[in-house]
Amino acid sequence: MMIVQLTTPLLELWRIDGQFSNQPHTHEAEYQITVPLQGNCHFKLEHKEFSLGSGRALVQHPGERHSFEADSLSGLIIIKIRQEAWRGSESAPGFARGVRQSFDSLQLSGYYRTWIDALMRSDPCDRLIREQTEAQVIAYLSAMMTGNTMSASLSERTTNIGKDRYLDQVLDYIHSHFRETVSIDAMAGIAAQSRYHFIRSFKAATGDTPYHYVLKLRMKEAMRLLRTTRASVTDIALSLGYSSTSPFYRAFAGIYGVRPEQCRGESGQVH
């Protein structure tokens, strides 16, 4: 059996492969959406029983007593969402109880890996990537559970939209604060949009998600400091809002393909 689990303030993301069972229990403030990817899963929800095949979602509401058993060949994804996650979202679904929308198992598995990778590779203190990932998960589920599969796509494709009159203000804010802890909520507030709509419209207008836009600014500044100063890699990482060097090294290599030390300019050489 293999279990992968990651928690944010609004979500819990689970992947369970192999034989598994649990005791009847409830979640007082969370929805739970369970999607088998393969194998056979047998669920008990209040006084009803469900046998689910691949891609058939089961929704458990806060306070509903439930349990499940999965066989040795099974694989499933569980997403728990706190009730307050829908606050301020124009896409909040009216979750019906029991079996609802079918999911594309391969698609969901791919998205799950993307979400987990983003959260695990980032700085644990980086609020921006956490909020952005939460918004992507919630927007995807909202679309899937209402049957709107077109808007469930996370391809983030650029669209031809009119210039948002608040975009310049958002960009000014980002360029002034990218070295600090920035949040989706702060930027969405400047744009006068919900966090879910803001991420989509920002991507359409700039070609980057808010997180990657900020990340590129940080790495550009890191490169400048490496080439023009004697500041240590640790000091540069801390000055750009990182809590440690590990996520900074990963981010720098992800953008430039090399370690920071390899980009030292002549004035930045340590003698």
Side-chain angles (χ1 to χ4, degrees):
M1 179 179 66
M2 182 182 73
I3 298 177
V4 177
Q5 186 263 336
L6 198 148
T7 301
T8 75
L10 295 181
L11 301 171
E12 286 184 34
L13 300 173
W14 293 74
R15 171 71 188 255
I16 301 175
D17 290 284
Q19 190 168 5
F20 180 87
S21 64
N22 59 12
Q23 297 297 314
H25 61 285
T26 62
H27 306 298
E28 294 306 319
E30 296 172 326
Y31 291 94
Q32 177 173 307
I33 300 166
T34 306
V35 186
L37 303 176
Q38 60 193 34
N40 296 311
C41 298
H42 183 72
F43 294 83
K44 293 182 180 179
L45 178 62
E46 293 291 349
H47 303 297
K48 296 182 179 180
E49 297 188 5
F50 301 87
S51 291
L52 296 182
S54 175
R56 290 295 290 166
L58 183 77
V59 178
Q60 294 131 49
H61 282 231
E64 289 187 325
R65 192 170 180 81
H66 60 277
S67 63
F68 71 91
E69 297 180 3
D71 64 25
S72 60
L73 299 178
S74 69
L76 53 90
I77 287 175
I78 297 173
I79 302 175
K80 298 178 183 178
I81 312 170
R82 296 191 64 80
Q83 287 177 298
E84 61 262 33
W86 309 115
R87 193 170 299 142
S89 170
E90 71 275 10
S91 59
F95 281 157
R97 286 171 166 79
V99 180
R100 284 284 288 167
Q101 181 71 26
S102 293
F103 282 67
D104 182 321
S105 298
L106 290 177
Q107 182 190 64
L108 175 58
S109 182
Y111 288 159
Y112 177 86
R113 288 193 298 271
T114 299
W115 300 328
I116 289 291
D117 185 65
L119 293 170
M120 292 186 69
R121 291 176 59 84
S122 64
D123 189 325
C125 297
D126 195 332
R127 179 178 174 183
L128 181 59
I129 187 59
R130 186 186 70 226
E131 290 181 344
Q132 181 172 292
T133 303
E134 286 177 338
Q136 289 173 333
V137 174
I138 291 166
Y140 169 76
L141 290 176
S142 296
M144 291 302 301
M145 298 307 294
T146 55
N148 187 0
T149 55
M150 288 295 291
S151 62
S153 172
L154 298 185
S155 62
E156 304 280 16
R157 57 187 179 275
T158 302
T159 57
N160 294 319
I161 61 172
K163 180 176 175 62
D164 192 314
R165 64 191 181 95
Y166 294 110
L167 179 61
D168 285 344
Q169 296 177 45
V170 173
L171 293 177
D172 286 344
Y173 172 81
I174 292 174
H175 282 259
S176 297
H177 295 86
F178 72 88
R179 299 173 186 84
E180 309 163 14
T181 299
V182 294
S183 73
I184 292 292
D185 287 341
M187 290 184 280
I190 295 171
Q193 297 172 343
S194 73
R195 63 159 65 176
Y196 313 103
H197 182 65
F198 169 71
I199 291 171
R200 293 193 296 268
S201 61
F202 187 92
K203 168 70 174 181
T206 68
D208 284 311
T209 64
Y211 171 71
H212 281 97
Y213 191 94
V214 171
L215 180 66
K216 288 179 179 179
L217 287 178
R218 288 175 175 170
M219 293 306 102
K220 183 178 180 180
E221 176 66 3
M223 181 67 80
R224 185 188 72 79
L225 293 171
L226 287 165
R227 288 177 170 174
T228 62
T229 76
R230 295 177 180 270
S232 69
V233 172
T234 297
D235 287 342
I236 290 173
L238 295 176
S239 74
L240 292 172
Y242 290 91
S243 62
S244 66
T245 57
S246 294
F248 172 75
Y249 271 94
R250 288 194 295 268
F252 193 90
I255 295 293
Y256 294 115
V258 296
R259 292 172 60 84
E261 292 88 348
Q262 296 175 261
C263 299
R264 279 288 185 193
E266 192 170 310
S267 63
Q269 292 287 350
V270 176
H271 298 287

